[in-house]
C-alpha cells in the first residue's frame, strides 16, 4: 500500500527531516578535528589519516547523482531510510576498525550513505512545499544542517579527546538509526509524471541534462563550491601558518556554523519579501567582503569575522541557488538536486586541489584574493540569470 500523499499546505520541513539533516551534517564535519588523535592511536602519519576524511568527502559528493536517480525512481523517504540504515551500520563499523585501511573503507561507505540525506531532504521539501514559501522551508532545513556543522566542529574534537575518537563515530551512527526508524512515519510525496507516464532512469537523466537552465544552475553551483567550500578550509591552515595552535584555529572556524545558523533565520524572514536576485546579491557581497578581509591580514579576529560572513553568504546565496534548483526540472527534482550537490562538491575538490600549492608556500593573500575576485562575477551572473529565469517562467508558467 502506498503512503498517503503529504499535504500541500506544508510550510516547513518535518522535524524528522531536520533532525536527519542535522545528523548528516554533524557526521560530515566531525572527522576533521579527530585526525591527529586517529593518527596517534593507529600509529600512522597524519598525512595518511587524512584519507579517512578525504575518502568520506569524495564518496559523499560523487554518489549524489545515484541517490537522486534512486529517489526519483523509488521515492524520497524510502531512499533516505535505506541510506540512514547503511550509515548507521558503517558508522558502527568505523568505530570498530583496528587499522587505517579498514577505517578508510568504512568512512567511505559512511560518506556515501550520509550523502543521500540532505539532497533528498531538499527534494522532499521541493515536492511538498509551495514555491511561494519554499525558500523559507529550505532555509529551515539548512539551519538544522548548520547547527550540526557548528556543534561538530566545536564538540567532536573535545568528545574524542576526553573519551575516545571511536565514540565520536558511534554517536552519529546511533542517531542515524533513530532517524531511519522515525522517518518511517513520514508520508511519501507522489512522483511527478511526464506526458502521463512515469519517467525511467534514462528519461530522468535526459530531462535534467538536456535542460539549459538546469545546466546553468549546476555551473553556478560548481563555481560556488570552488569559491566557498574550496577556499574556506584554508582559513584554519592560514591561522596555523601564522603560529596559532590547531585547536584555537578550529575554534575560530566555528563562527561559520554560528553565522550560517543565525543568518539563515534572517533569510527565512526576507524570503518572499525580497526577490531571489536581491538575496543572491547580498550573499555574494558577504562572500566577497569576507575573503577580502582575510586576504589583507590573517588573525583570530579577521578569520572569525570572515567565517561569520561566509556563513551569511552561504545562507543568502546558496539557499537561493538551492531553491532555484528545486524548480527548474520538477518532473526530475531528485536527479536535479543530486547533480546540483555533485557539482558543488566537485567544484570544492578541484579548487582545494588547485589551492594546495599556494597554501603550502604560505601565499594566503593570493589564495583568498582570488576567491574574493571570483565571487564578484559569480554573484553578478547568478543574480542576472535568476532575474531572467523569473521573467521567462512568468511568461510561461509550469506546473509544480
Amino acid at each position: 500500500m502506498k503512503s498517503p500523499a503529504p499535504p500541500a499546505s506544508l510550510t516547513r520541513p518535518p522535524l524528522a527531516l531536520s533532525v536527519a539533516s542535522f545528523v548528516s551534517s554533524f557526521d560530515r564535519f566531525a572527522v576533521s578535528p579527530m585526525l591527529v588523535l586517529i593518527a596517534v592511536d593507529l600509529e600512522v602519519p597524519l598525512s595518511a589519516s587524512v584519507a579517512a576524511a578525504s575518502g568520506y568527502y569524495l564518496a559523499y559528493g560523487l554518489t549524489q547523482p545515484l541517490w537522486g536517480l534512486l529517489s526519483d525512481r523509488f521515492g524520497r523517504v524510502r531512499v533516505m531510510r535505506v541510506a540512514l540504515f547503511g550509515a548507521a551500520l558503517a558508522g558502527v563499523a568505523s568505530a570498530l576498525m583496528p587499522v587505517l585501511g579498514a577505517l578508510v573503507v568504512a568512512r567511505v561507505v559512511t560518506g556515501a550513505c550520509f550523502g543521500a540525506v540532505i539532497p533528498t531532504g531538499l527534494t522532499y521539501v521541493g515536492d511538498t512545499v509551495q514555491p511561494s514559501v519554499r525558500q523559507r522551508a529550505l532555509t529551515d532545513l539548512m539551519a538544522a544542517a548548520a547547527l550540526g556543522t557548528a556543534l561538530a566542529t566545536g564538540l567532536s574534537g573535545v568528545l574524542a579527546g576526553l573519551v575516545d575518537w571511536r565514540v565520536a563515530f558511534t554517536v552519529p551512527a546511533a542517531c542515524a538509526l533513530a532517524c531511519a526508524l522515525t522517518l518511517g512515519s513520514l508520508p511519501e510525496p507522489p512522483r511527478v509524471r511526464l506526458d502521463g507516464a512515469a519517467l525511467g532512469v534514462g528519461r530522468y537523466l535526459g530531462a535534467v541534462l538536456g535542460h539549459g537552465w538546469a545546466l546553468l544552475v549546476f555551473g553556478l553551483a560548481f563555481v560556488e563550491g570552488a569559491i566557498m567550500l574550496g577556499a574556506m578550509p584554508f582559513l584554519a591552515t592560514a591561522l596555523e601558518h601564522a603560529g596559532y595552535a590547531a585547536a584555537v584555529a578550529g575554534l575560530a572556524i566555528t563562527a561559520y556554523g554560528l553565522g550560517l545558523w543565525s543568518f539563515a533565520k534572517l533569510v527565512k524572514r526576507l524570503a518572499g519579501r525580497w526577490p531571489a536576485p536581491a538575496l543572491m546579491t547580498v550573499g555574494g557581497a558577504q562572500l566577497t567582503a569576507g575573503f577580502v578581509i582575510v586576504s589583507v591580514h590573517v588573525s583570530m579576529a579577521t578569520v572569525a569575522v570572515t567565517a561569520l560572513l561566509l556563513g551569511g553568504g552561504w545562507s543568502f546565496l546558496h539557499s537561493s541557488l538551492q531553491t532555484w534548483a528545486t524548480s527548474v526540472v520538477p518532473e526530475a527534482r531528485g536527479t536535479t538536486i543530486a547533480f546540483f550537490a555533485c557539482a558543488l562538491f566537485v567544484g570544492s575538490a578541484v579548487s582545494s586541489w588547485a589551492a594546495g600549492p599556494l597554501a603550502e608556500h604560505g601565499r594566503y593573500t593570493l589564495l583568498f584574493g582570488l576567491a574574493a575576485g571570483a565571487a564578484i562575477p559569480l554573484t553578478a551572473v547568478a543574480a542576472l540569470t535568476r532575474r531572467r529565469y523569473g521573467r521567462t517562467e512568468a511568461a510561461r508558467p509550469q506546473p509544480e
Side-chain angles (χ1 to χ4, degrees):
M1 181 180 295
K2 294 183 178 180
S3 301
S9 59
L10 284 180
T11 58
R12 59 187 307 170
L15 178 61
L17 205 61
S18 295
V19 173
S21 297
F22 169 90
V23 173
S24 175
S25 185
F26 184 96
D27 190 78
R28 179 155 54 99
F29 283 90
V31 67
S32 295
M34 301 188 297
L35 291 176
V36 173
L37 296 175
I38 292 173
V40 171
D41 188 44
L42 298 183
E43 299 180 348
V44 297
L46 177 59
S47 59
S49 70
V50 170
S54 58
Y56 183 107
Y57 299 146
L58 187 63
Y60 189 99
L62 293 181
T63 55
Q64 303 291 317
L66 173 63
W67 289 121
L69 287 168
L70 291 175
S71 77
D72 276 334
R73 183 69 180 85
F74 298 107
R76 320 301 186 202
V77 178
R78 181 181 298 177
V79 163
M80 282 190 288
R81 294 191 72 205
V82 169
L84 284 166
F85 278 125
L89 290 174
V92 172
S94 300
L96 297 176
M97 291 299 112
V99 295
L100 180 63
L103 174 63
V104 170
V105 171
R107 295 315 293 164
V108 166
V109 176
T110 308
C113 292
F114 268 124
V117 177
I118 292 180
T120 309
L122 295 171
T123 306
Y124 188 94
V125 171
D127 289 340
T128 57
V129 177
Q130 294 298 322
S132 60
V133 293
R134 186 175 296 160
Q135 185 161 0
R136 298 178 188 175
L138 290 173
T139 302
D140 277 339
L141 204 61
M142 189 170 65
L147 187 57
T149 300
L151 290 179
T153 54
L155 296 180
S156 63
V158 174
L159 180 63
L162 294 179
V163 186
D164 190 270
W165 61 267
R166 298 178 187 275
V167 176
F169 286 145
T170 306
V171 171
C175 293
L177 177 60
C179 288
L181 296 173
T182 305
L183 285 173
S185 62
L186 204 63
E188 187 75 65
R191 282 187 287 153
V192 178
R193 296 172 181 266
L194 184 63
D195 297 329
L199 289 173
V201 170
R203 294 190 68 194
Y204 283 125
L205 284 173
V208 172
L209 298 181
H211 198 291
W213 285 114
L215 296 179
L216 171 65
V217 174
F218 299 157
L220 292 172
F222 178 91
V223 177
E224 183 193 31
I227 296 171
M228 178 74 179
L229 300 181
M232 187 177 68
F234 293 105
L235 291 175
T237 62
L239 279 176
E240 293 178 45
H241 202 91
Y244 292 89
V248 176
L251 185 62
I253 308 304
T254 59
Y256 166 74
L258 298 175
L260 204 162
W261 183 81
S262 58
F263 278 109
K265 297 296 184 181
L266 178 59
V267 171
K268 183 179 178 180
R269 293 188 176 186
L270 296 177
R273 302 179 185 178
W274 287 20
L279 295 173
M280 290 176 170
T281 301
V282 172
Q286 288 175 298
L287 287 184
T288 304
F291 282 120
V292 166
I293 288 172
V294 80
S295 68
V296 173
H297 179 64
V298 174
S299 67
M300 278 290 293
T302 57
V303 167
V305 170
T306 293
L308 191 68
L309 287 172
L310 295 187
W314 187 259
S315 298
F316 277 85
L317 178 59
H318 185 70
S319 70
S320 301
L321 288 174
Q322 275 183 343
T323 305
W324 190 3
T326 64
S327 303
V328 287
V329 192
E331 66 272 15
R333 186 174 280 126
T335 304
T336 305
I337 292 296
F339 272 97
F340 175 86
C342 183
L344 188 77
F345 284 106
V346 171
S348 70
V350 171
S351 174
S352 60
W353 171 78
L358 294 178
E360 185 176 355
H361 293 91
R363 303 181 66 185
Y364 292 104
T365 296
L366 177 59
L367 194 162
F368 296 132
L370 289 173
I376 297 173
L378 168 67
T379 305
V381 172
L384 292 174
T385 54
R386 181 61 181 86
R387 179 176 297 175
R388 182 180 176 185
Y389 173 81
R391 291 173 178 172
T392 302
E393 292 303 292
R396 182 177 51 83
Q398 297 179 353
E400 286 291 330

